[in-house]
């Protein structure tokens, strides 16, 4: 980035599945950081995490003084964010929070960098929320279609990888798979039932309306990001035995008719999207062949809905840890820098 200001950046949850990738993306993209500080719980204080070619020592969040920090990327769970994000913000840092703690707060913008970057400017609490991973990739894919034809209703079924649940879930899928292949028992610990060689129609907690919190995030966050409370969202969240990369089968109903040809053109011209849409075996994106470890949101299987005159089907795949979490958080930080965020004087 061509900017002479340098920022002191904290990554909270630096030892976690998302935190580690936040560190690598900050390095990869050459974020203008004078210093990057890795924070986690007392359990991992003193251990090391990678930042480019060197190791940085993890510090204990509970005893860390945030007064020098310009930008803090949080990904240590909702309760950690609730307790510490306001402290970092009060000390003058801009917090970009990957948890769900503040996403529904009217005074906290919910930002997808390609979709509503301007919303990051109004942050009365000094906190910007990073959307849920499944909403994130959905928004990137739907924004150009919404702008062109107004989306009225979204039907979505997700196929979410275990990395969205965190490090322990990655280990659980590996362990259960190895055990089952060796004719041993697969004990569920992180998920309520076996995840290896299975699919689980459950993400988050069950609510009184019969939906899960992961499903309702798709409803609430879509409306907030697209700034349209009239959009109807019908969601089913499913966890699948995939390590990295969420997939989504999406049907939209638009106010104006959108042909598959036009939708393909709009998607091909939109930022952050790669269209992979050939009607042949392998002519579509999958987590393993396309998304895992990559930045774009991949869209394929673009078809007009045979059962609805203004319906359109899409298959949307992205790396949930990168675009779905760490990458978007870093892209929000880049938006702040491009927007003239001042660095604190001592290291500016
Ligand atoms: P730690 O490794 O010290 O437990 P994941 O989502 O992959 O499970 O990662 C969660 C991240 O949040 C880890 O970096 C974890 O650090 C961090 N974390 C969890 N609880 C706390 C806490 N109370 N204070 C600071 N960091 C925490």
């Amino acid at each position: 980035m061509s900017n002479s200001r340098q920022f002191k950046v904290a990554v909270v949850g630096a030892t976690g599945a998302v935190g580690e990738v936040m560190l690598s993306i900050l390095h990869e993209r050459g974020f203008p950081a004078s210093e990057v500080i890795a924070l986690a719980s007392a359990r991992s204080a003193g251990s090391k995490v990678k930042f480019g070619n060197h190791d940085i020592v993890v510090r204990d969040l509970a005893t860390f003084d945030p007064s020098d920090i310009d930008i803090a990327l949080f990904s240590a769970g909702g309760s950690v964010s609730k307790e510490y994000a306001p402290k970092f913000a009060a000390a003058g840092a801009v917090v970009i929070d990957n948890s769900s703690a503040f996403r529904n707060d009217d005074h906290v913008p919910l930002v997808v960098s390609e979709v509503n970057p301007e919303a990051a400017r109004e942050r009365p609490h000094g906190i910007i929320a990073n959307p849920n991973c499944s909403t994130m990739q959905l928004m990137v894919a739907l924004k150009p279609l919404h702008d062109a034809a107004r989306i009225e209703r979204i039907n979505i079924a997700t196929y979410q990888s275990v990395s969205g649940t965190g490090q322990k879930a990655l280990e659980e899928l590996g362990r259960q798979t190895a055990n089952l292949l060796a004719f041993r028992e697969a004990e569920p610990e992180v998920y309520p039932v076996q995840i290896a060689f299975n699919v689980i129609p459950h993400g988050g907690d069950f609510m009184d309306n019969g939906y899960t919190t992961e499903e309702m995030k798709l409803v609430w966050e879509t409306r907030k990001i697209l700034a349209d409370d009239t959009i109807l969202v019908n969601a089913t969240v499913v966890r699948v035995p995939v390590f990295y990369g969420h997939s989504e089968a999406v049907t939209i109903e638009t106010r104006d008719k959108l042909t598959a040809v036009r939708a393909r053109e709009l998607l091909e011209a939109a930022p952050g999207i790669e269209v992979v849409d050939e009607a042949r075996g392998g002519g579509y994106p999958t987590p393993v062949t396309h998304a895992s470890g990559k930045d774009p949101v991949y869209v394929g299987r673009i078809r007009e809905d045979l059962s609805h005159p203004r319906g359109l089907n899409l298959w949307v795949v992205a790396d949930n840890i990168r675009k779905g979490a760490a990458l978007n958080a870093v892209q929000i930080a880049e938006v702040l820098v491009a927007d003239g965020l001042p660095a604190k004087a001592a290291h500016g």
Side-chain angles (χ1 to χ4, degrees):
M1 295 186 100
S2 64
N3 203 301
S4 56
R5 281 164 298 138
Q6 296 277 306
F7 300 86
K8 199 161 171 177
V9 180
V11 173
V12 178
T15 54
V18 173
E20 282 184 357
V21 179
M22 283 173 164
L23 289 168
S24 73
I25 292 177
L26 282 166
H27 184 264
E28 220 171 82
R29 294 172 73 92
F31 189 82
S34 56
E35 191 181 350
V36 174
I37 293 168
L39 298 165
S41 77
R43 289 182 293 275
S44 39
S47 66
K48 289 182 179 148
V49 286
K50 284 267 168 231
F51 183 66
N53 288 332
H54 33 262
D55 292 331
I56 43 181
V57 176
V58 177
R59 300 199 222 168
D60 180 4
L61 173 67
T63 55
F64 179 74
D65 171 8
S67 46
D68 264 2
I69 299 297
D70 294 298
I71 298 170
L73 308 180
F74 270 67
S75 194
S79 57
V80 172
S81 290
K82 274 195 185 121
E83 182 173 353
Y84 291 96
K87 292 182 182 164
F88 275 63
V94 180
V95 172
I96 301 167
D97 181 35
N98 189 50
S99 81
S100 57
F102 303 104
R103 288 186 192 141
N104 297 330
D105 185 326
D106 287 342
H107 302 294
V108 174
L110 185 62
V111 176
V112 182
S113 67
E114 296 88 348
V115 176
N116 61 340
E118 68 291 342
R121 286 199 190 119
E122 283 296 311
R123 41 174 198 275
H125 293 330
I127 301 172
I128 299 167
N130 207 34
N132 179 250
C133 42
S134 37
T135 317
M136 189 88 74
Q137 65 188 67
L138 182 70
M139 293 298 94
V140 174
L142 295 192
K143 169 73 170 160
L145 308 180
H146 186 56
D147 286 349
R150 300 318 287 176
I151 293 171
E152 292 179 337
R153 182 157 182 259
I154 302 167
N155 260 298
I156 173 168
T158 70
Y159 304 69
Q160 298 184 206
S161 67
V162 299
S163 53
T165 313
Q167 204 68 53
K168 291 199 170 70
L170 285 161
E171 289 158 20
E172 177 149 307
L173 175 57
R175 190 177 54 247
Q176 286 185 354
T177 305
N179 281 345
L180 288 163
L181 290 174
F183 305 102
R184 288 193 296 262
E185 292 287 304
E187 295 296 337
E189 286 170 24
V190 175
Y191 296 110
V193 297
Q194 175 188 317
I195 181 69
F197 308 105
N198 200 7
V199 296
I200 308 177
H202 171 192
D205 302 318
F206 278 93
M207 301 181 56
D208 289 344
N209 66 0
Y211 287 81
T212 66
T213 46
E214 290 289 300
E215 288 162 348
M216 292 310 295
K217 283 175 190 173
L218 280 155
V219 179
W220 298 322
E221 295 182 19
T222 294
R223 290 177 176 166
K224 183 165 175 175
I225 294 162
L226 295 179
D228 184 345
D229 279 340
T230 66
I231 296 183
L232 302 169
V233 182
N234 182 43
T236 301
V237 160
V238 183
R239 191 74 60 184
V240 295
V242 168
F243 285 101
Y244 293 98
H246 287 0
S247 307
E248 299 176 338
V250 183
T251 303
I252 58 170
E253 293 166 19
T254 50
R255 187 191 60 197
D256 307 325
K257 167 78 181 168
L258 203 50
T259 64
V261 170
R262 181 71 188 128
R264 213 169 278 126
E265 284 168 4
L266 291 165
L267 291 163
E268 273 165 356
I273 295 178
E274 210 163 289
V275 174
V276 181
D277 192 22
E278 292 173 46
R280 59 167 182 85
Y284 35 72
T286 73
V288 167
T289 54
H290 291 80
S292 179
K294 305 279 180 30
D295 289 348
V297 171
Y298 294 87
V299 185
R301 306 297 325 278
I302 303 164
R303 290 152 292 148
E304 284 157 48
D305 178 351
L306 297 176
S307 71
H308 191 286
R310 285 165 288 103
L312 192 79
N313 295 313
L314 311 163
W315 173 248
V316 181
V317 187
D319 186 319
N320 52 298
I321 300 292
R322 289 183 75 89
K323 183 58 194 173
L327 172 62
N328 194 67
V330 174
Q331 286 172 314
I332 293 173
E334 290 173 352
V335 167
L336 299 176
V337 174
D339 236 17
L341 181 77
K344 284 180 179 163
H347 48 270

